Amino acid sequence: MTAKTCIHPLFTNSLVFIFIITLLPCFLHAQGLKNTAFYETSTGTLGISVGAGGVSVGVGVGVGVGIGSAPAPEAPNYPPPPEPEPLIFENERLAVVYPVIHRFKKSITSDPHGITNTWVGPRICNYTGFYCDHPPDDNSLRALAGIDFNGYQLGAPTLDDFVDQLPDIAIFHANTNNFAGAISPKIAQLRYLYELDLSNNKFSGQFPMAVLGMDGLSFLDIRFNSFTGTVPAQIFTQPLDVLFINNNNFMQTLPANLGSTPVRYLTIANNRFVGPIPRSIGNASATLVEVLLLNNQLSGCLPYEIGLLRSATVFDAGNNLLTGPIPCSFGCLEKMELLNLAGNQLYGQIPEAVCALRNLVNLSLSDNYFTSVGPTCRNLIKNGVLNVNNNCIHGLPNQRSVGECSAFHPGSCPYPPSYSFSFIPCELPQSPPPRSIHSSKPSTTTAAFVSSHRSPPLPQSLKNKLN
Ligand SMILES: *[C@@H]1O[C@H](CO)[C@@H](O)[C@H](O)[C@H]1NC(C)=O
Ligand SMILES: *[C@@H]1O[C@H](CO)[C@@H](O)[C@H](O)[C@H]1NC(C)=O
Ligand SMILES: *[C@@H]1O[C@H](CO)[C@@H](O)[C@H](O)[C@H]1NC(C)=O
């Protein structure tokens, strides 16, 4: 049961490594939004300029509410109620969404912050949570381009006939509200939608299949809801940048094409995914930056293809049922900062090549059945980077009992680890690390999306730019 060792090449000369600290943007959303208007996606193909003075077209879609009635002569001395403003809209596109918004407003069951009190009159672009911009197909006017209800705690039984009836919407963020129901298939008709954040609501039912055809969509966040069933395999061929489906009730084996995904950030944590990590994951080597698979019931051996993820900084498959040794290929994860495999059934020797990874800030391998560590790994234990508590490593403190270790029977692998275990798909560095001065925390972005229900707010710079 002891695994072969991944031999670390001898140290011949020492090189000077320059570490470029990449500051991940504070907000993932800002990836798509940083210097741009609502209709500019992260790929910038819809480029629309902001700031050409809005043309007030003043299309008179008079809905005839404008005539105030004079107070009756005997009325007591109350000041007359303010006259409702005539509904003269800036343009036809805003006129069209007015009844949609007001129908939705009537359906709202809770509004603890009084947000909807601002949803009055014809100036829709001034309603709290609503943002306007020039639509891609007409630079001369403003349309309803974005909605940001993050944190408003609005309640409504459904978003049906609301979001799907806002034809110019590009961004819909509704983190931390009490919206419920299923997602209407009609959202497929929203041609400009590229960010959809429905996280931390009370949505239920199947995965919103309507998103599958939406090729403009780049950000999909449905975490912290009660979606059930399976995630369609096609979502992994869709040109998304971010896919967050953690903290739902998805229950299935991971689709074999998972590695076809072009996303940079993938979190499927805290669901009930079973079976092996698909070997295709290596196909995402150029793009995948953070992968969070923790707290599922994934089983089988770690495919060596994970070691191909040369862009990855975070790989977290903690608390699953994974078994086998750690493949030597993991020594190729040169950008890796946070590698968490704690709480599985891994065994063998911890590869020295993994402990030699220069950017590691946190290597968590506790609660497994590893039996030995080499000198490089021992150094990491000393530095507090590597945690091997509750394994079967003779001579180290806080290990499992001898009885527990001898009673361990590893799970089975759908493909035997033997042939691929020692395969190293890269040239390992010639020298053991002159370790860099790390920040004490890995620069993880997605971890916050698993541990917290919240989404970051829309950047203020963007808010200021619009309206
Ligand atoms: C929109 O609201 C702001 C204050 O929030 C106000 O200064 C501005 O005049 C309003 N615009 C219109 C067109 O009412
Ligand atoms: C994706 O991965 C699978 C399994 O590793 C491999 O057989 C296939 O050739 C890969 N496809 C591409 C396009 O790289
Ligand atoms: C390392 O990562 C594990 C798993 O994500 C986490 O539980 C632990 O607190 C981290 N350790 C440090 C020192 O940050």
Side-chain angles (χ1 to χ4, degrees), residues 425-440:
C426 68
E427 245 181 81
L428 289 177
Q430 286 305 299
S431 59
R435 288 182 65 81
S436 64
I437 302 108
H438 294 296
S439 57
S440 57

Side-chain angles (χ1 to χ4, degrees), residues 41-302:
T41 67
S42 45
T43 47
T45 48
L46 297 174
I48 295 302
S49 67
V50 182
V55 184
S56 267
V57 185
V59 179
V61 187
V63 185
V65 190
I67 307 118
S69 53
E74 304 92 353
N77 256 353
Y78 298 131
E83 288 182 12
E85 218 179 325
L87 288 174
I88 309 296
F89 294 99
E90 196 175 304
N91 61 55
E92 186 88 43
R93 290 187 186 220
L94 291 169
V96 163
V97 297
Y98 177 89
V100 175
I101 296 168
H102 285 269
R103 189 175 57 216
F104 177 63
K105 182 179 173 182
K106 284 206 195 91
S107 79
I108 286 185
T109 51
S110 67
D111 177 12
H113 303 288
I115 301 298
T116 58
N117 296 339
T118 69
W119 300 359
V120 178
R123 281 185 293 275
I124 290 165
C125 303
N126 252 23
Y127 291 5
T128 300
F130 290 75
Y131 298 87
C132 294
D133 193 6
H134 306 288
D137 58 311
D138 191 345
N139 209 0
S140 71
L141 49 73
R142 296 196 304 169
L144 177 57
I147 287 184
D148 178 15
F149 291 163
N150 281 5
Y152 289 170
Q153 296 171 282
L154 298 172
T158 179
L159 294 182
D160 224 2
D161 288 327
F162 173 53
V163 185
D164 52 276
Q165 300 302 313
L166 304 173
D168 298 308
I169 202 87
I171 293 178
F172 185 78
H173 288 187
N175 168 267
T176 310
N177 284 277
N178 291 303
F179 298 134
I183 303 303
S184 167
K186 287 179 284 183
I187 63 165
Q189 70 202 13
L190 300 174
R191 57 191 170 155
Y192 300 136
L193 189 70
Y194 70 92
E195 290 202 11
L196 182 60
D197 179 354
L198 303 174
S199 57
N200 198 25
N201 279 283
K202 298 191 156 46
F203 293 110
S204 55
Q206 299 293 306
F207 181 90
M209 299 292 175
V211 302
L212 290 180
M214 301 177 74
D215 282 349
L217 195 66
S218 75
F219 183 101
L220 180 61
D221 181 353
I222 61 169
R223 76 207 146 89
F224 292 102
N225 278 290
S226 300
F227 288 109
T228 52
T230 58
V231 176
Q234 301 98 291
I235 199 66
F236 295 109
T237 53
Q238 187 136 342
L240 293 171
D241 190 40
V242 169
L243 179 61
F244 293 159
I245 60 174
N246 54 283
N247 298 80
N248 279 287
N249 295 315
F250 294 120
M251 205 182 308
Q252 70 188 112
T253 53
L254 288 175
N257 71 339
L258 179 122
S260 305
T261 186
V263 298
R264 291 182 302 146
Y265 301 95
L266 176 65
T267 74
I268 67 158
N270 295 301
N271 279 286
R272 282 184 265 168
F273 288 105
V274 298
I277 297 172
R279 299 182 61 181
S280 70
I281 194 165
N283 295 4
S285 61
T287 42
L288 212 41
V289 175
E290 299 191 11
V291 192
L292 279 80
L293 312 175
L294 63 153
N295 298 327
N296 281 287
Q297 292 156 31
L298 300 174
S299 58
C301 290
L302 292 164

Side-chain angles (χ1 to χ4, degrees), residues 399-410:
Q399 298 299 299
R400 296 181 191 273
S401 70
V402 174
E404 216 181 330
C405 292
S406 58
F408 169 63
H409 293 292

Side-chain angles (χ1 to χ4, degrees), residues 406-455:
S406 58
F408 169 63
H409 293 292
S412 66
C413 296
Y415 37 86
S418 51
Y419 91 99
S420 60
F421 164 68
S422 50
F423 178 64
I424 302 180
C426 68
E427 245 181 81
L428 289 177
Q430 286 305 299
S431 59
R435 288 182 65 81
S436 64
I437 302 108
H438 294 296
S439 57
S440 57
K441 286 195 170 161
S443 54
T444 146
T445 340
T446 52
F449 287 82
V450 174
S451 60
S452 156
H453 292 61
R454 295 289 176 150
S455 289

